[in-house]
Amino acid sequence: MSVEEHPFPPFLPPETRVLMLGTFPPKPNRWSMEFFYPNKINDMWRVMGLIFYGDKNRFWDAEQGKFLLPDIKQFLTEQHIGMWDTAARVRRLRDNASDKFLEIVETIDLDHFFDLQPSICAIVTTGEKASSVIAGKAGVEIPKIGVPADCDYHGHRFKFYRMPSTSRAYPLALVKKAEAYRAMFVDLGYAL
């Protein structure tokens, strides 16, 4: 079984405050853009549109059938939100993106991220597998959804949030997902 390298570089705007981490991107045939949460049926960018703009389609180009990548990058930069994943290399045990069928071969190097962006004050994971990776590195239990754990990782203090998966396979309505993420951003001092 072949090992896949992460296809995207980390996205770390200047003075990144929040680092959002999924597990690993789906296969390229599922992408609508070359960036994080690229599957057009994933709700991440709809959640962000609802929270920050009151419009679930703020980052969606219906005519082209894809997300508006320049708008997403500008938004993330303005809000000091970084993106990457908890797995740098994986094996797919089945021909899909389900965390259940991903074997993580190499995890994120958190020290590297904190060295690049010491301003990171929160790590947000989207889903169970991503949460288990960060909990293991930080030496804490996986927190309840939306309830942060205070962590100290090699002298770097941060809040660790486990949030609902934005995959459509996760059985929670878009509005409920947005409410959970909104509460987290408000807790982190975002004016929403």
Side-chain angles (χ1 to χ4, degrees):
M1 214 172 285
S2 63
V3 173
E4 286 183 51
E5 302 278 338
H6 201 293
F8 311 135
F11 182 81
L12 294 171
E15 299 178 26
T16 297
R17 292 182 54 214
V18 177
L19 178 59
M20 297 190 71
L21 303 170
T23 304
F24 199 80
K27 294 185 91 170
N29 65 331
R30 308 290 293 179
W31 298 356
S32 72
M33 64 177 173
E34 292 187 14
F35 198 65
F36 302 91
Y37 305 95
N39 190 327
K40 62 184 174 184
I41 63 168
N42 189 289
D43 283 331
M44 176 56 76
W45 304 117
R46 291 173 185 86
V47 164
M48 293 299 185
L50 273 174
I51 293 171
F52 287 89
Y53 300 96
D55 178 4
K56 71 178 183 179
N57 293 315
R58 168 61 183 85
F59 298 114
W60 181 248
D61 182 339
E63 189 174 300
Q64 297 291 319
K66 63 181 186 177
F67 290 108
L68 299 165
L69 183 53
D71 291 9
I72 288 170
K73 286 183 173 182
Q74 180 180 345
F75 156 74
L76 293 171
T77 300
E78 289 170 358
Q79 298 300 328
H80 306 283
I81 299 170
M83 291 276 172
W84 210 53
D85 287 307
T86 55
R89 298 171 55 219
V90 301
R91 279 189 195 91
R92 290 189 200 274
L93 305 179
R94 292 218 180 141
D95 194 32
N96 62 36
S98 171
D99 280 0
K100 187 170 28 174
F101 302 114
L102 285 180
E103 175 190 333
I104 297 177
V105 175
E106 180 184 337
T107 61
I108 185 174
D109 178 356
L110 274 185
D111 288 315
H112 178 69
F113 282 80
F114 287 132
D115 288 347
L116 290 173
Q117 292 292 330
S119 52
I120 294 170
C121 63
I123 291 180
V124 178
T125 54
T126 59
E128 183 72 24
K129 190 164 223 153
S131 299
S132 68
V133 169
I134 298 304
K137 287 185 175 293
V140 298
E141 295 292 320
I142 296 174
K144 291 181 181 175
I145 290 177
V147 180
D150 290 320
C151 297
D152 189 330
Y153 182 78
H154 297 177
H156 192 95
R157 298 196 53 74
F158 64 94
K159 285 186 172 190
F160 167 32
Y161 291 86
R162 170 189 171 201
M163 298 306 291
S165 170
T166 54
S167 167
R168 291 276 175 94
Y170 187 75
L172 189 63
L174 174 65
V175 172
K176 293 292 185 187
K177 290 177 187 178
E179 286 172 5
Y181 280 83
R182 178 188 303 277
M184 177 205 63
F185 280 112
V186 167
D187 188 50
L188 288 171
Y190 284 79
L192 300 172

mmCIF file of all heavy atoms in Angstrom, residues 140-186:
data_model
loop_
_atom_site.group_PDB
_atom_site.id
_atom_site.type_symbol
_atom_site.label_atom_id
_atom_site.label_comp_id
_atom_site.label_asym_id
_atom_site.label_seq_id
_atom_site.Cartn_x
_atom_site.Cartn_y
_atom_site.Cartn_z
ATOM 1 N N VAL A 140 -2.871 15.219 26.901
ATOM 2 C CA VAL A 140 -4.154 15.482 27.558
ATOM 3 C C VAL A 140 -5.199 14.513 27.002
ATOM 4 O O VAL A 140 -5.004 13.898 25.959
ATOM 5 C CB VAL A 140 -4.639 16.942 27.332
ATOM 6 C CG1 VAL A 140 -3.656 17.944 27.931
ATOM 7 C CG2 VAL A 140 -4.855 17.239 25.851
ATOM 8 N N GLU A 141 -6.303 14.415 27.713
ATOM 9 C CA GLU A 141 -7.440 13.662 27.202
ATOM 10 C C GLU A 141 -8.059 14.450 26.044
ATOM 11 O O GLU A 141 -7.980 15.682 26.021
ATOM 12 C CB GLU A 141 -8.498 13.470 28.299
ATOM 13 C CG GLU A 141 -8.038 12.612 29.461
ATOM 14 C CD GLU A 141 -7.841 11.161 29.080
ATOM 15 O OE1 GLU A 141 -8.680 10.636 28.310
ATOM 16 O OE2 GLU A 141 -6.848 10.562 29.534
ATOM 17 N N ILE A 142 -8.701 13.745 25.128
ATOM 18 C CA ILE A 142 -9.422 14.439 24.064
ATOM 19 C C ILE A 142 -10.550 15.233 24.714
ATOM 20 O O ILE A 142 -11.370 14.665 25.442
ATOM 21 C CB ILE A 142 -9.999 13.457 23.034
ATOM 22 C CG1 ILE A 142 -8.875 12.703 22.321
ATOM 23 C CG2 ILE A 142 -10.870 14.191 22.013
ATOM 24 C CD1 ILE A 142 -9.353 11.607 21.393
ATOM 25 N N PRO A 143 -10.592 16.551 24.503
ATOM 26 C CA PRO A 143 -11.645 17.339 25.151
ATOM 27 C C PRO A 143 -13.015 17.065 24.544
ATOM 28 O O PRO A 143 -13.130 16.573 23.426
ATOM 29 C CB PRO A 143 -11.212 18.787 24.900
ATOM 30 C CG PRO A 143 -10.228 18.750 23.799
ATOM 31 C CD PRO A 143 -9.666 17.370 23.724
ATOM 32 N N LYS A 144 -14.050 17.401 25.305
ATOM 33 C CA LYS A 144 -15.410 17.327 24.775
ATOM 34 C C LYS A 144 -15.543 18.375 23.681
ATOM 35 O O LYS A 144 -14.847 19.404 23.691
ATOM 36 C CB LYS A 144 -16.432 17.589 25.875
ATOM 37 C CG LYS A 144 -16.502 16.492 26.901
ATOM 38 C CD LYS A 144 -17.541 16.803 27.953
ATOM 39 C CE LYS A 144 -17.565 15.682 28.977
ATOM 40 N NZ LYS A 144 -18.467 15.967 30.081
ATOM 41 N N ILE A 145 -16.422 18.141 22.747
ATOM 42 C CA ILE A 145 -16.620 19.079 21.643
ATOM 43 C C ILE A 145 -16.943 20.471 22.188
ATOM 44 O O ILE A 145 -17.858 20.634 22.999
ATOM 45 C CB ILE A 145 -17.719 18.581 20.692
ATOM 46 C CG1 ILE A 145 -17.220 17.352 19.926
ATOM 47 C CG2 ILE A 145 -18.149 19.684 19.712
ATOM 48 C CD1 ILE A 145 -18.239 16.714 19.009
ATOM 49 N N GLY A 146 -16.160 21.448 21.753
ATOM 50 C CA GLY A 146 -16.379 22.842 22.118
ATOM 51 C C GLY A 146 -15.854 23.263 23.477
ATOM 52 O O GLY A 146 -15.924 24.433 23.830
ATOM 53 N N VAL A 147 -15.314 22.326 24.251
ATOM 54 C CA VAL A 147 -14.792 22.642 25.593
ATOM 55 C C VAL A 147 -13.267 22.582 25.530
ATOM 56 O O VAL A 147 -12.693 21.499 25.377
ATOM 57 C CB VAL A 147 -15.324 21.650 26.650
ATOM 58 C CG1 VAL A 147 -14.763 21.986 28.027
ATOM 59 C CG2 VAL A 147 -16.846 21.642 26.657
ATOM 60 N N PRO A 148 -12.584 23.727 25.639
ATOM 61 C CA PRO A 148 -11.138 23.728 25.435
ATOM 62 C C PRO A 148 -10.367 23.078 26.583
ATOM 63 O O PRO A 148 -10.793 23.099 27.732
ATOM 64 C CB PRO A 148 -10.800 25.216 25.336
ATOM 65 C CG PRO A 148 -11.850 25.898 26.144
ATOM 66 C CD PRO A 148 -13.101 25.070 25.941
ATOM 67 N N ALA A 149 -9.231 22.520 26.222
ATOM 68 C CA ALA A 149 -8.263 22.032 27.201
ATOM 69 C C ALA A 149 -7.073 22.986 27.169
ATOM 70 O O ALA A 149 -6.626 23.378 26.092
ATOM 71 C CB ALA A 149 -7.817 20.620 26.852
ATOM 72 N N ASP A 150 -6.595 23.391 28.328
ATOM 73 C CA ASP A 150 -5.393 24.217 28.400
ATOM 74 C C ASP A 150 -4.186 23.303 28.290
ATOM 75 O O ASP A 150 -4.070 22.332 29.032
ATOM 76 C CB ASP A 150 -5.353 25.001 29.709
ATOM 77 C CG ASP A 150 -6.404 26.099 29.756
ATOM 78 O OD1 ASP A 150 -6.617 26.755 28.722
ATOM 79 O OD2 ASP A 150 -7.024 26.291 30.823
ATOM 80 N N CYS A 151 -3.296 23.614 27.350
ATOM 81 C CA CYS A 151 -2.153 22.751 27.075
ATOM 82 C C CYS A 151 -0.851 23.520 27.172
ATOM 83 O O CYS A 151 -0.805 24.729 26.929
ATOM 84 C CB CYS A 151 -2.263 22.159 25.668
ATOM 85 S SG CYS A 151 -3.694 21.105 25.442
ATOM 86 N N ASP A 152 0.189 22.784 27.509
ATOM 87 C CA ASP A 152 1.551 23.302 27.485
ATOM 88 C C ASP A 152 2.380 22.280 26.725
ATOM 89 O O ASP A 152 2.604 21.170 27.200
ATOM 90 C CB ASP A 152 2.083 23.483 28.908
ATOM 91 C CG ASP A 152 3.417 24.213 28.938
ATOM 92 O OD1 ASP A 152 4.191 24.089 27.965
ATOM 93 O OD2 ASP A 152 3.683 24.902 29.923
ATOM 94 N N TYR A 153 2.789 22.648 25.528
ATOM 95 C CA TYR A 153 3.566 21.750 24.680
ATOM 96 C C TYR A 153 4.959 22.330 24.499
ATOM 97 O O TYR A 153 5.129 23.359 23.823
ATOM 98 C CB TYR A 153 2.871 21.566 23.327
ATOM 99 C CG TYR A 153 3.583 20.622 22.400
ATOM 100 C CD1 TYR A 153 3.488 19.247 22.571
ATOM 101 C CD2 TYR A 153 4.367 21.103 21.358
ATOM 102 C CE1 TYR A 153 4.146 18.369 21.722
ATOM 103 C CE2 TYR A 153 5.031 20.238 20.506
ATOM 104 C CZ TYR A 153 4.919 18.875 20.694
ATOM 105 O OH TYR A 153 5.582 18.019 19.854
ATOM 106 N N HIS A 154 5.941 21.738 25.157
ATOM 107 C CA HIS A 154 7.333 22.193 25.091
ATOM 108 C C HIS A 154 7.439 23.689 25.395
ATOM 109 O O HIS A 154 8.154 24.429 24.715
ATOM 110 C CB HIS A 154 7.944 21.886 23.730
ATOM 111 C CG HIS A 154 8.013 20.424 23.439
ATOM 112 N ND1 HIS A 154 8.478 19.931 22.257
ATOM 113 C CD2 HIS A 154 7.681 19.328 24.165
ATOM 114 C CE1 HIS A 154 8.431 18.611 22.267
ATOM 115 N NE2 HIS A 154 7.941 18.222 23.421
ATOM 116 N N GLY A 155 6.694 24.133 26.392
ATOM 117 C CA GLY A 155 6.753 25.531 26.826
ATOM 118 C C GLY A 155 5.826 26.474 26.088
ATOM 119 O O GLY A 155 5.787 27.663 26.393
ATOM 120 N N HIS A 156 5.088 25.969 25.121
ATOM 121 C CA HIS A 156 4.146 26.825 24.387
ATOM 122 C C HIS A 156 2.727 26.529 24.885
ATOM 123 O O HIS A 156 2.242 25.421 24.740
ATOM 124 C CB HIS A 156 4.243 26.584 22.883
ATOM 125 C CG HIS A 156 3.529 27.622 22.093
ATOM 126 N ND1 HIS A 156 4.172 28.730 21.582
ATOM 127 C CD2 HIS A 156 2.224 27.762 21.770
ATOM 128 C CE1 HIS A 156 3.288 29.496 20.957
ATOM 129 N NE2 HIS A 156 2.103 28.923 21.069
ATOM 130 N N ARG A 157 2.096 27.538 25.465
ATOM 131 C CA ARG A 157 0.755 27.360 26.009
ATOM 132 C C ARG A 157 -0.286 27.687 24.940
ATOM 133 O O ARG A 157 -0.146 28.645 24.201
ATOM 134 C CB ARG A 157 0.534 28.242 27.237
ATOM 135 C CG ARG A 157 1.502 27.876 28.370
ATOM 136 C CD ARG A 157 1.105 28.412 29.716
ATOM 137 N NE ARG A 157 -0.252 28.085 30.123
ATOM 138 C CZ ARG A 157 -0.680 26.895 30.545
ATOM 139 N NH1 ARG A 157 0.149 25.887 30.581
ATOM 140 N NH2 ARG A 157 -1.940 26.713 30.915
ATOM 141 N N PHE A 158 -1.327 26.833 24.870
ATOM 142 C CA PHE A 158 -2.400 27.065 23.913
ATOM 143 C C PHE A 158 -3.675 26.392 24.400
ATOM 144 O O PHE A 158 -3.636 25.501 25.247
ATOM 145 C CB PHE A 158 -2.023 26.551 22.511
ATOM 146 C CG PHE A 158 -1.830 25.059 22.431
ATOM 147 C CD1 PHE A 158 -2.878 24.218 22.049
ATOM 148 C CD2 PHE A 158 -0.602 24.483 22.727
ATOM 149 C CE1 PHE A 158 -2.704 22.845 21.962
ATOM 150 C CE2 PHE A 158 -0.421 23.107 22.638
ATOM 151 C CZ PHE A 158 -1.475 22.289 22.260
ATOM 152 N N LYS A 159 -4.798 26.842 23.844
ATOM 153 C CA LYS A 159 -6.085 26.203 24.084
ATOM 154 C C LYS A 159 -6.302 25.191 22.965
ATOM 155 O O LYS A 159 -6.079 25.501 21.797
ATOM 156 C CB LYS A 159 -7.225 27.218 24.069
ATOM 157 C CG LYS A 159 -7.310 28.072 25.301
ATOM 158 C CD LYS A 159 -8.574 28.943 25.240
ATOM 159 C CE LYS A 159 -8.774 29.649 26.555
ATOM 160 N NZ LYS A 159 -10.105 30.290 26.600
ATOM 161 N N PHE A 160 -6.747 24.019 23.336
ATOM 162 C CA PHE A 160 -6.995 22.948 22.379
ATOM 163 C C PHE A 160 -8.498 22.686 22.332
ATOM 164 O O PHE A 160 -9.107 22.340 23.333
ATOM 165 C CB PHE A 160 -6.210 21.709 22.809
ATOM 166 C CG PHE A 160 -6.577 20.416 22.126
ATOM 167 C CD1 PHE A 160 -7.022 20.378 20.813
ATOM 168 C CD2 PHE A 160 -6.434 19.227 22.808
ATOM 169 C CE1 PHE A 160 -7.340 19.171 20.205
ATOM 170 C CE2 PHE A 160 -6.752 18.006 22.210
ATOM 171 C CZ PHE A 160 -7.206 17.987 20.905
ATOM 172 N N TYR A 161 -9.077 22.910 21.141
ATOM 173 C CA TYR A 161 -10.509 22.693 20.935
ATOM 174 C C TYR A 161 -10.721 21.520 19.992
ATOM 175 O O TYR A 161 -10.151 21.488 18.903
ATOM 176 C CB TYR A 161 -11.161 23.906 20.268
ATOM 177 C CG TYR A 161 -11.259 25.139 21.111
ATOM 178 C CD1 TYR A 161 -10.197 26.033 21.179
ATOM 179 C CD2 TYR A 161 -12.421 25.441 21.808
ATOM 180 C CE1 TYR A 161 -10.292 27.188 21.927
ATOM 181 C CE2 TYR A 161 -12.527 26.600 22.557
ATOM 182 C CZ TYR A 161 -11.457 27.465 22.619
ATOM 183 O OH TYR A 161 -11.551 28.615 23.354
ATOM 184 N N ARG A 162 -11.556 20.597 20.392
ATOM 185 C CA ARG A 162 -12.052 19.558 19.490
ATOM 186 C C ARG A 162 -13.413 20.046 18.999
ATOM 187 O O ARG A 162 -14.309 20.331 19.794
ATOM 188 C CB ARG A 162 -12.208 18.245 20.238
ATOM 189 C CG ARG A 162 -12.932 17.193 19.443
ATOM 190 C CD ARG A 162 -13.241 16.017 20.341
ATOM 191 N NE ARG A 162 -14.121 15.082 19.671
ATOM 192 C CZ ARG A 162 -14.863 14.206 20.310
ATOM 193 N NH1 ARG A 162 -14.846 14.137 21.621
ATOM 194 N NH2 ARG A 162 -15.637 13.391 19.634
ATOM 195 N N MET A 163 -13.554 20.138 17.694
ATOM 196 C CA MET A 163 -14.792 20.639 17.117
ATOM 197 C C MET A 163 -15.446 19.587 16.235
ATOM 198 O O MET A 163 -14.803 18.611 15.835
ATOM 199 C CB MET A 163 -14.508 21.920 16.317
ATOM 200 C CG MET A 163 -13.945 23.056 17.178
ATOM 201 S SD MET A 163 -14.957 23.481 18.618
ATOM 202 C CE MET A 163 -16.379 24.192 17.826
ATOM 203 N N PRO A 164 -16.724 19.780 15.917
ATOM 204 C CA PRO A 164 -17.395 18.793 15.060
ATOM 205 C C PRO A 164 -16.735 18.721 13.687
ATOM 206 O O PRO A 164 -16.276 19.728 13.154
ATOM 207 C CB PRO A 164 -18.815 19.337 14.918
ATOM 208 C CG PRO A 164 -18.981 20.370 15.952
ATOM 209 C CD PRO A 164 -17.611 20.872 16.302
ATOM 210 N N SER A 165 -16.722 17.538 13.134
ATOM 211 C CA SER A 165 -16.263 17.373 11.764
ATOM 212 C C SER A 165 -17.192 18.169 10.844
ATOM 213 O O SER A 165 -18.395 18.245 11.075
ATOM 214 C CB SER A 165 -16.299 15.900 11.373
ATOM 215 O OG SER A 165 -16.076 15.760 9.993
ATOM 216 N N THR A 166 -16.611 18.746 9.797
ATOM 217 C CA THR A 166 -17.434 19.468 8.822
ATOM 218 C C THR A 166 -17.779 18.587 7.626
ATOM 219 O O THR A 166 -18.392 19.054 6.671
ATOM 220 C CB THR A 166 -16.732 20.755 8.349
ATOM 221 O OG1 THR A 166 -15.435 20.431 7.861
ATOM 222 C CG2 THR A 166 -16.639 21.767 9.484
ATOM 223 N N SER A 167 -17.418 17.319 7.711
ATOM 224 C CA SER A 167 -17.817 16.371 6.673
ATOM 225 C C SER A 167 -19.328 16.194 6.698
ATOM 226 O O SER A 167 -19.947 16.185 7.756
ATOM 227 C CB SER A 167 -17.146 15.021 6.929
ATOM 228 O OG SER A 167 -17.735 14.017 6.137
ATOM 229 N N ARG A 168 -19.918 16.023 5.529
ATOM 230 C CA ARG A 168 -21.358 15.763 5.465
ATOM 231 C C ARG A 168 -21.698 14.414 6.101
ATOM 232 O O ARG A 168 -22.837 14.170 6.462
ATOM 233 C CB ARG A 168 -21.852 15.793 4.024
ATOM 234 C CG ARG A 168 -21.825 17.157 3.394
ATOM 235 C CD ARG A 168 -23.076 17.965 3.742
ATOM 236 N NE ARG A 168 -22.962 19.316 3.229
ATOM 237 C CZ ARG A 168 -23.432 19.718 2.060
ATOM 238 N NH1 ARG A 168 -24.045 18.867 1.267
ATOM 239 N NH2 ARG A 168 -23.280 20.969 1.690
ATOM 240 N N ALA A 169 -20.698 13.538 6.228
ATOM 241 C CA ALA A 169 -20.937 12.241 6.859
ATOM 242 C C ALA A 169 -21.195 12.398 8.363
ATOM 243 O O ALA A 169 -21.780 11.516 8.983
ATOM 244 C CB ALA A 169 -19.747 11.314 6.635
ATOM 245 N N TYR A 170 -20.755 13.514 8.940
ATOM 246 C CA TYR A 170 -20.992 13.763 10.366
ATOM 247 C C TYR A 170 -22.431 14.232 10.536
ATOM 248 O O TYR A 170 -22.835 15.239 9.954
ATOM 249 C CB TYR A 170 -20.006 14.804 10.892
ATOM 250 C CG TYR A 170 -20.070 15.000 12.391
ATOM 251 C CD1 TYR A 170 -19.523 14.065 13.249
ATOM 252 C CD2 TYR A 170 -20.687 16.118 12.939
ATOM 253 C CE1 TYR A 170 -19.574 14.233 14.623
ATOM 254 C CE2 TYR A 170 -20.748 16.296 14.310
ATOM 255 C CZ TYR A 170 -20.182 15.341 15.142
ATOM 256 O OH TYR A 170 -20.256 15.520 16.507
ATOM 257 N N PRO A 171 -23.220 13.514 11.330
ATOM 258 C CA PRO A 171 -24.666 13.771 11.389
ATOM 259 C C PRO A 171 -25.056 14.962 12.263
ATOM 260 O O PRO A 171 -25.645 14.807 13.339
ATOM 261 C CB PRO A 171 -25.218 12.467 11.960
ATOM 262 C CG PRO A 171 -24.117 11.967 12.846
ATOM 263 C CD PRO A 171 -22.834 12.377 12.173
ATOM 264 N N LEU A 172 -24.741 16.161 11.811
ATOM 265 C CA LEU A 172 -25.120 17.381 12.508
ATOM 266 C C LEU A 172 -25.443 18.428 11.447
ATOM 267 O O LEU A 172 -24.690 18.603 10.489
ATOM 268 C CB LEU A 172 -23.977 17.869 13.411
ATOM 269 C CG LEU A 172 -24.263 19.010 14.371
ATOM 270 C CD1 LEU A 172 -25.317 18.614 15.407
ATOM 271 C CD2 LEU A 172 -22.987 19.456 15.073
ATOM 272 N N ALA A 173 -26.554 19.114 11.629
ATOM 273 C CA ALA A 173 -26.991 20.117 10.653
ATOM 274 C C ALA A 173 -25.966 21.241 10.542
ATOM 275 O O ALA A 173 -25.288 21.587 11.515
ATOM 276 C CB ALA A 173 -28.345 20.676 11.054
ATOM 277 N N LEU A 174 -25.879 21.832 9.359
ATOM 278 C CA LEU A 174 -24.953 22.935 9.102
ATOM 279 C C LEU A 174 -25.097 24.043 10.139
ATOM 280 O O LEU A 174 -24.104 24.547 10.676
ATOM 281 C CB LEU A 174 -25.186 23.487 7.692
ATOM 282 C CG LEU A 174 -24.385 24.732 7.319
ATOM 283 C CD1 LEU A 174 -22.891 24.430 7.286
ATOM 284 C CD2 LEU A 174 -24.846 25.290 5.981
ATOM 285 N N VAL A 175 -26.307 24.429 10.449
ATOM 286 C CA VAL A 175 -26.539 25.520 11.412
ATOM 287 C C VAL A 175 -25.994 25.151 12.786
ATOM 288 O O VAL A 175 -25.403 25.990 13.475
ATOM 289 C CB VAL A 175 -28.039 25.870 11.478
ATOM 290 C CG1 VAL A 175 -28.332 26.840 12.604
ATOM 291 C CG2 VAL A 175 -28.504 26.465 10.152
ATOM 292 N N LYS A 176 -26.141 23.906 13.187
ATOM 293 C CA LYS A 176 -25.626 23.452 14.490
ATOM 294 C C LYS A 176 -24.094 23.441 14.492
ATOM 295 O O LYS A 176 -23.459 23.798 15.487
ATOM 296 C CB LYS A 176 -26.171 22.067 14.840
ATOM 297 C CG LYS A 176 -27.658 22.042 15.095
ATOM 298 C CD LYS A 176 -27.991 22.798 16.353
ATOM 299 C CE LYS A 176 -29.460 22.682 16.698
ATOM 300 N NZ LYS A 176 -29.830 23.540 17.818
ATOM 301 N N LYS A 177 -23.494 23.021 13.373
ATOM 302 C CA LYS A 177 -22.036 23.076 13.271
ATOM 303 C C LYS A 177 -21.567 24.523 13.400
ATOM 304 O O LYS A 177 -20.622 24.822 14.134
ATOM 305 C CB LYS A 177 -21.559 22.493 11.940
ATOM 306 C CG LYS A 177 -21.723 20.997 11.810
ATOM 307 C CD LYS A 177 -21.289 20.512 10.428
ATOM 308 C CE LYS A 177 -21.600 19.038 10.225
ATOM 309 N NZ LYS A 177 -21.236 18.540 8.894
ATOM 310 N N ALA A 178 -22.246 25.426 12.701
ATOM 311 C CA ALA A 178 -21.869 26.841 12.746
ATOM 312 C C ALA A 178 -22.003 27.405 14.153
ATOM 313 O O ALA A 178 -21.149 28.184 14.599
ATOM 314 C CB ALA A 178 -22.712 27.640 11.758
ATOM 315 N N GLU A 179 -23.044 27.026 14.872
ATOM 316 C CA GLU A 179 -23.221 27.499 16.253
ATOM 317 C C GLU A 179 -22.047 27.056 17.124
ATOM 318 O O GLU A 179 -21.540 27.835 17.937
ATOM 319 C CB GLU A 179 -24.529 26.965 16.840
ATOM 320 C CG GLU A 179 -25.771 27.635 16.295
ATOM 321 C CD GLU A 179 -27.064 26.959 16.754
ATOM 322 O OE1 GLU A 179 -27.012 26.012 17.590
ATOM 323 O OE2 GLU A 179 -28.129 27.378 16.279
ATOM 324 N N ALA A 180 -21.608 25.819 16.960
ATOM 325 C CA ALA A 180 -20.494 25.306 17.758
ATOM 326 C C ALA A 180 -19.206 26.073 17.442
ATOM 327 O O ALA A 180 -18.479 26.494 18.354
ATOM 328 C CB ALA A 180 -20.307 23.811 17.505
ATOM 329 N N TYR A 181 -18.936 26.286 16.171
ATOM 330 C CA TYR A 181 -17.722 27.010 15.784
ATOM 331 C C TYR A 181 -17.811 28.484 16.186
ATOM 332 O O TYR A 181 -16.810 29.066 16.614
ATOM 333 C CB TYR A 181 -17.455 26.868 14.282
ATOM 334 C CG TYR A 181 -16.800 25.554 13.913
ATOM 335 C CD1 TYR A 181 -17.552 24.391 13.727
ATOM 336 C CD2 TYR A 181 -15.428 25.471 13.739
ATOM 337 C CE1 TYR A 181 -16.950 23.178 13.397
ATOM 338 C CE2 TYR A 181 -14.814 24.272 13.397
ATOM 339 C CZ TYR A 181 -15.588 23.130 13.235
ATOM 340 O OH TYR A 181 -14.974 21.934 12.906
ATOM 341 N N ARG A 182 -18.979 29.072 16.082
ATOM 342 C CA ARG A 182 -19.149 30.474 16.506
ATOM 343 C C ARG A 182 -18.803 30.623 17.989
ATOM 344 O O ARG A 182 -18.080 31.541 18.383
ATOM 345 C CB ARG A 182 -20.573 30.954 16.248
ATOM 346 C CG ARG A 182 -20.811 32.407 16.728
ATOM 347 C CD ARG A 182 -22.278 32.810 16.633
ATOM 348 N NE ARG A 182 -22.802 32.676 15.294
ATOM 349 C CZ ARG A 182 -22.671 33.577 14.324
ATOM 350 N NH1 ARG A 182 -22.032 34.695 14.564
ATOM 351 N NH2 ARG A 182 -23.196 33.366 13.142
ATOM 352 N N ALA A 183 -19.314 29.724 18.822
ATOM 353 C CA ALA A 183 -19.045 29.789 20.259
ATOM 354 C C ALA A 183 -17.544 29.705 20.534
ATOM 355 O O ALA A 183 -17.011 30.408 21.394
ATOM 356 C CB ALA A 183 -19.798 28.675 20.986
ATOM 357 N N MET A 184 -16.842 28.863 19.793
ATOM 358 C CA MET A 184 -15.399 28.739 19.960
ATOM 359 C C MET A 184 -14.691 30.040 19.591
ATOM 360 O O MET A 184 -13.848 30.532 20.336
ATOM 361 C CB MET A 184 -14.864 27.600 19.094
ATOM 362 C CG MET A 184 -13.355 27.460 19.167
ATOM 363 S SD MET A 184 -12.635 26.696 17.715
ATOM 364 C CE MET A 184 -13.022 27.834 16.415
ATOM 365 N N PHE A 185 -15.051 30.616 18.446
ATOM 366 C CA PHE A 185 -14.407 31.867 18.031
ATOM 367 C C PHE A 185 -14.710 33.007 19.006
ATOM 368 O O PHE A 185 -13.834 33.821 19.308
ATOM 369 C CB PHE A 185 -14.801 32.245 16.602
ATOM 370 C CG PHE A 185 -14.026 31.497 15.549
ATOM 371 C CD1 PHE A 185 -14.654 30.564 14.728
ATOM 372 C CD2 PHE A 185 -12.673 31.709 15.366
ATOM 373 C CE1 PHE A 185 -13.945 29.868 13.755
ATOM 374 C CE2 PHE A 185 -11.940 31.028 14.402
ATOM 375 C CZ PHE A 185 -12.592 30.096 13.590
ATOM 376 N N VAL A 186 -15.915 33.053 19.518
ATOM 377 C CA VAL A 186 -16.252 34.074 20.527
ATOM 378 C C VAL A 186 -15.399 33.866 21.770
ATOM 379 O O VAL A 186 -14.844 34.827 22.338
ATOM 380 C CB VAL A 186 -17.757 34.044 20.863
ATOM 381 C CG1 VAL A 186 -18.071 34.861 22.103
ATOM 382 C CG2 VAL A 186 -18.587 34.542 19.674
#
